[in-house]
Amino acid sequence: EAEVAQSPRYKITEKSQAVAFWCDPISGHATLYWYRQILGQGPELLVQFQDESVVDDSQLPKDRFSAERLKGVDSTLKIQPAELGDSAMYLCASSGQLNTGELFFGEGSRLTVL
Amino acid sequence: QQQVKQSPQSLIVQKGGIPIINCAYENTAFDYFPWYQQFPGKGPALLIAIRPDVSEKKEGRFTISFNKSAKQFSLHIMDSQPGDSATYFCAAEVTGNTPLVFGKGTRLSVIA
């Protein structure tokens, strides 16, 4: 069964360090999303790609966060420098069409910033 | 500004009971309303979804009721089982325009 792959599953880092998360969407899915889920809250969109282009990054804290999807397939989300408030689950999702129907989520990358 | 307001935050029901989770929205342009289920350590997975042209949709033990005039929709779980214990999120989007926005979630515990 096709699924969204994410790594690492868990990351512990100290504040001011750099961290990176990787996502491989379901094959053929043109749209890729990065969501952040703080413990006890719903997912909140950080950035959305259509192929290799950013569609919406209005909620991405661009002073420390960056995201890319260079070849329109897999994607990397980077945080530099990490802050205590960045501790959260970072979820990647993909869909076959932009903002249409079901999102398929990966298992997420749990970040703890000490 | 929270675009989708979900209640309650948590819910405990006996096995066989019918938990009901509610969501309210403000944006009348929303035209797709899914419910996602999330187990601990996993990503959310689509459970059931509805569009505003119908007032109810049923899939197995799960039913969405939709009230367009009240801008509310709810999830009902019939004959709930301990395996249904999870966090449930409502969401909404404007098809082809805005990405899904999620409610804050309801943590459901079904006790035997």
Side-chain angles (χ1 to χ4, degrees):
Chain A
E1 181 178 310
E3 59 183 33
V4 176
Q6 288 190 247
S7 66
R9 288 292 314 279
Y10 304 94
K11 178 70 176 179
I12 300 174
T13 190
E14 294 186 345
K15 64 179 182 178
S16 81
Q17 296 299 303
V19 295
F21 305 111
W22 176 81
C23 172
D24 191 12
I26 292 173
S27 178
H29 278 190
T31 310
L32 184 147
Y33 311 77
W34 283 101
Y35 280 84
R36 177 169 60 186
Q37 186 178 22
I38 296 170
L39 193 63
Q41 302 282 324
E44 295 179 327
L45 183 72
L46 290 173
V47 61
Q48 178 185 14
F49 290 91
Q50 179 70 9
D51 299 311
E52 67 276 7
S53 300
V54 173
V55 174
D56 183 355
D57 64 356
S58 59
Q59 301 304 309
L60 189 70
K62 298 182 191 62
D63 57 334
R64 299 185 299 107
F65 286 66
S66 64
E68 60 184 15
R69 194 184 183 198
L70 293 176
K71 297 182 179 178
V73 180
D74 59 339
S75 175
T76 301
L77 177 70
K78 297 179 181 178
I79 308 174
Q80 182 172 17
E83 295 181 353
L84 296 177
D86 296 332
S87 294
M89 175 78 84
Y90 290 84
L91 292 163
C92 179
S94 68
S95 65
Q97 295 183 50
L98 180 66
N99 299 331
T100 303
E102 182 175 3
L103 293 189
F104 295 85
F105 282 89
E107 293 195 325
S109 295
R110 167 75 66 189
L111 173 65
T112 301
V113 182
L114 303 176
Chain B
Q1 181 187 6
Q2 190 180 355
Q3 297 196 52
V4 182
K5 293 185 178 181
Q6 184 174 344
S7 62
Q9 275 190 309
S10 62
L11 191 54
I12 301 174
V13 299
Q14 296 273 359
K15 177 183 173 183
I18 305 175
I20 301 173
I21 306 171
N22 301 298
C23 271
Y25 64 96
E26 288 297 322
N27 186 351
T28 55
F30 285 147
D31 62 358
Y32 176 69
F33 303 90
W35 285 90
Y36 279 75
Q37 180 188 55
Q38 185 177 30
F39 293 104
K42 301 291 186 181
L46 179 66
L47 189 62
I48 186 173
I50 197 168
R51 293 195 181 272
D53 52 341
V54 296
S55 60
E56 185 176 280
K57 183 174 181 180
K58 187 177 296 187
E59 288 186 3
R61 296 184 294 108
F62 301 93
T63 299
I64 298 180
S65 297
F66 185 81
N67 186 329
K68 189 173 182 178
S69 61
K71 293 185 286 186
Q72 295 176 348
F73 58 109
S74 60
L75 176 70
H76 302 232
I77 306 175
M78 309 301 288
D79 187 27
S80 59
Q81 301 296 313
D84 296 329
S85 298
T87 301
Y88 293 82
F89 296 95
C90 62
E93 76 175 12
V94 180
T95 300
N97 190 332
T98 64
L100 278 177
V101 289
F102 287 83
K104 291 191 173 184
T106 297
R107 188 169 184 173
L108 172 67
S109 297
V110 181
I111 54 177

